[in-house]
Amino acid sequence: MSDAEPHNAPHNVPHNIHNAAIVTTQASASPCPASALPLLASLSPGLGSPGLGGLGSVVARAPGRVNLLGEHVDYSGYGVLPMAIEAQVLAAITEVPDDGQPGGPTVTVSNADPRFEPRTYPADPNTELDLADFSWAHYFMCGYKGALASFPGPPPKLRSLEVKVSGNVPSGAGLSSSSAFVVASALATAARYEVPLSRTSLAEAAIAGELHCGTLSGGMDQAASILALPGRALHIRFVPGLTAEPVELPGGVAFVICNCLRRKEKAVDSSRYYNLRVVECRLAALCIAAKHGVPLEGVRTLRDVADALAARDGAEPAAAMGRLAGECAEGAAAAPAGLSLPALSGLLSCEEAELVASFFPDRAAQAAAVLADNASFKIWQRALHVFEEALRVMGFAGSVAAGGTPDGAELARLMDASHESCKTLFECSCEELDALVACCKSAGALGARLTGAGWGGCVVSAVREGEEEEFIARVKKSYYGGEMGMAEGEIEDGTIVVTAGGS
């Protein structure tokens, strides 16, 4: 981090304008990227003023991210290849007097955008969030809970806080607005309460915190926001522990991110979308383990079972993954509509009523909702996607790590293959995303794919440097004008974002 930052700020990864950071406190300030200044200005009225108690403010920023490769593999234990983007979230925390409130200290969260209503919560981090009455402000409390759960020793004395949030990461667009929000919250809370967290520990706290919103997140989004480096993607891995290695990107290539304008929040209807995929992947791992005689007790992810088989057979992990991908392709062909709960119970030698208790003790409520809300589970299709997508990440990151020159044509090919897999095997695309990918390819993209959880959101395209403006003009005409019927003036700022690639 910068030498100007508070001593208690996370410090084991250098601060740069691409990753999460404390940008202001009442006593000191860190360098603030120019892109954050308008957002900071939107927070400034009242910060540290008598109207907010005058007891000092902490402001943290966290960028969104775009994932280049590795969609829906993080919660199966495999690595991903994201990079941070300029769009970001800022969260300001100001301590206010309690004034003898009968219910104890509170946290009030408001937004610089008046469309988002304020919400007040008990300051006690052990108070569960009401997911039936979901609010955008729940994401702040996720980061708050994650940071305070990491406090060493006895818990700190809780204080009443006023929180104000501003950001320009579009929500529901697959660019990690919710996770950037959680990261900014966790970082600001850690600074406010002087929680001594390294950046890796902060990422782990944010990952754990976001689970309080009911989404079975894998950890890529939070780690990318905190650990990002300028001009590089990150190969983020989660086994045996969280690590992030910079990966050089191809020279002469820029990345253009286009919003399909269909919003999809991960936490909304998650039992039929995001959480369903998480449960399907675990069920796939368990069924593969049962088929191959691997003890089910130690299996939670597809990586668990692939690594166990590789170790047992003396094979390289990639070879084991490739063999299992072949088996999953056979299973998908035999059961194109998926498997019923009775069929899954038979494969696992377990009564239906015991599935959650036996195999999802860590996520019982979410798994129970998924099993109740769905009649079939395409476990083989999901596992086939995961193994092949993980191999795509390993292949590209591994070749660069071994000293190879980043190959733009190869990355583009992998991006195209990734989208096709997300569309046909993982079924996390939608008509708008598919239409936008087609328009991007017709406009000259080297490769294009959905990015983020899917079912809406954005497409990331690899485009030759110097051709970005022409590419954008073509996409505006073909997708936003042709497919969406929009006039030029109706396309809002931030709908299309350009992010530089390698040197």
Side-chain angles (χ1 to χ4, degrees):
M1 307 271 303
S2 162
D3 291 338
E5 288 185 303
H7 73 279
N8 58 305
H11 59 272
N12 74 324
V13 170
H15 160 59
N16 57 77
I17 66 169
H18 290 264
N19 63 26
I22 298 295
V23 292
T24 69
T25 69
Q26 193 174 51
S28 63
S30 300
C32 183
S35 60
L37 295 177
L39 299 177
L40 190 60
S42 72
L43 296 177
S44 60
L47 290 184
S49 70
L52 284 179
L55 300 180
S57 298
V58 171
V59 182
R61 60 172 289 273
R65 63 96 189 97
V66 59
N67 194 26
L68 301 179
L69 284 176
E71 219 60 76
H72 285 281
V73 301
D74 51 348
Y75 51 78
S76 284
Y78 287 112
V80 293
L81 195 71
M83 62 186 295
I85 59 175
E86 194 172 85
Q88 57 207 295
V89 173
L90 270 64
I93 294 181
T94 302
E95 183 181 345
V96 296
D98 288 330
D99 294 331
Q101 298 179 70
T106 60
V107 177
T108 298
V109 187
S110 63
N111 199 305
D113 186 336
R115 294 176 297 175
F116 297 91
E117 294 185 1
R119 179 69 68 95
T120 297
Y121 301 85
D124 181 359
N126 295 315
T127 302
E128 289 297 322
L129 298 175
D130 183 359
L131 300 184
D133 183 22
F134 196 85
S135 166
W136 68 274
H138 279 22
Y139 288 114
F140 178 85
M141 296 307 295
C142 287
Y144 175 87
K145 288 170 176 287
L148 290 182
S150 303
F151 198 88
K157 183 180 184 298
L158 298 175
R159 311 157 190 169
S160 284
L161 303 174
E162 293 277 1
V163 178
K164 193 170 184 181
V165 178
S166 184
N168 57 7
V169 184
S171 64
L175 300 179
S176 191
S177 60
S178 59
S179 294
F181 189 2
V182 172
V183 167
S185 164
L187 180 54
T189 302
R192 178 77 276 168
Y193 279 99
E194 299 187 347
V195 184
L197 294 177
S198 68
R199 283 195 174 273
T200 300
S201 297
L202 177 65
E204 292 168 343
I207 291 167
E210 192 161 344
L211 294 174
H212 289 285
C213 268
T215 303
L216 302 175
S217 172
M220 169 183 66
D221 301 342
Q222 302 88 345
S225 182
I226 293 167
L227 303 172
L229 294 170
R232 298 288 187 272
L234 287 179
H235 185 200
I236 298 177
R237 286 171 283 191
F238 307 93
V239 178
L242 179 63
T243 61
E245 296 293 331
V247 175
E248 185 180 356
L249 292 169
V253 174
F255 296 96
V256 181
I257 305 158
C258 302
N259 194 331
C260 81
L261 303 181
R262 176 174 175 173
R263 296 178 66 249
K264 181 68 183 77
E265 304 282 0
K266 281 195 302 186
V268 177
D269 295 328
S270 59
S271 66
R272 295 185 183 276
Y273 294 94
Y274 192 91
N275 285 0
L276 170 58
R277 297 301 185 270
V278 177
V279 169
E280 286 176 319
C281 287
R282 182 174 293 189
L283 289 170
L286 292 163
C287 288
I288 292 169
K291 175 183 176 181
H292 288 275
V294 175
L296 301 187
E297 293 75 19
V299 173
R300 288 292 181 269
T301 68
L302 287 163
R303 178 165 183 163
D304 287 340
V305 69
D307 284 357
L309 289 173
R312 188 183 72 183
D313 300 340
E316 289 295 320
M321 293 164 64
R323 188 178 74 248
L324 290 175
E327 293 182 12
C328 291
E330 293 176 1
L339 300 177
S340 65
L341 273 182
L344 289 167
S345 298
L347 290 174
L348 297 174
S349 302
C350 177
E351 296 294 328
E352 287 183 49
E354 298 174 0
L355 280 172
V356 170
S358 297
F359 303 122
F360 297 90
D362 53 335
R363 298 290 180 263
Q366 294 94 332
V370 166
L371 298 183
D373 289 348
N374 297 277
S376 64
F377 303 84
K378 295 185 177 182
I379 63 169
W380 303 124
Q381 291 87 337
R382 311 317 183 210
L384 176 56
H385 164 82
V386 168
F387 287 132
E388 292 185 337
E389 182 80 345
L391 287 169
R392 283 187 275 271
V393 174
M394 292 165 62
F396 183 80
S399 67
V400 175
T405 301
D407 186 334
E410 175 63 7
L411 178 58
R413 184 189 69 79
L414 294 172
M415 291 171 68
D416 287 343
S418 175
H419 182 76
E420 185 62 22
S421 182
C422 286
K423 174 184 175 181
T424 60
L425 294 175
F426 220 76
E427 296 180 291
C428 60
S429 190
C430 63
E431 290 183 8
E432 293 87 346
L433 283 170
D434 294 339
L436 181 51
V437 165
C439 289
C440 288
K441 292 289 289 183
S442 296
L446 303 172
R449 63 180 294 275
L450 68 82
T451 185
W455 299 290
C458 289
V459 166
V460 58
S461 297
V463 178
R464 291 182 183 88
E465 283 187 344
E467 298 182 4
E468 298 96 319
E469 289 188 10
E470 183 178 358
F471 170 82
I472 290 171
R474 289 173 176 170
V475 173
K476 282 183 175 180
K477 181 178 180 180
S478 62
Y479 182 74
Y480 297 102
E483 296 286 338
M484 304 299 288
M486 299 172 67
E488 175 77 22
E490 294 178 303
I491 304 173
E492 297 181 358
D493 291 344
T495 300
I496 302 176
V497 177
V498 179
T499 298
S503 59

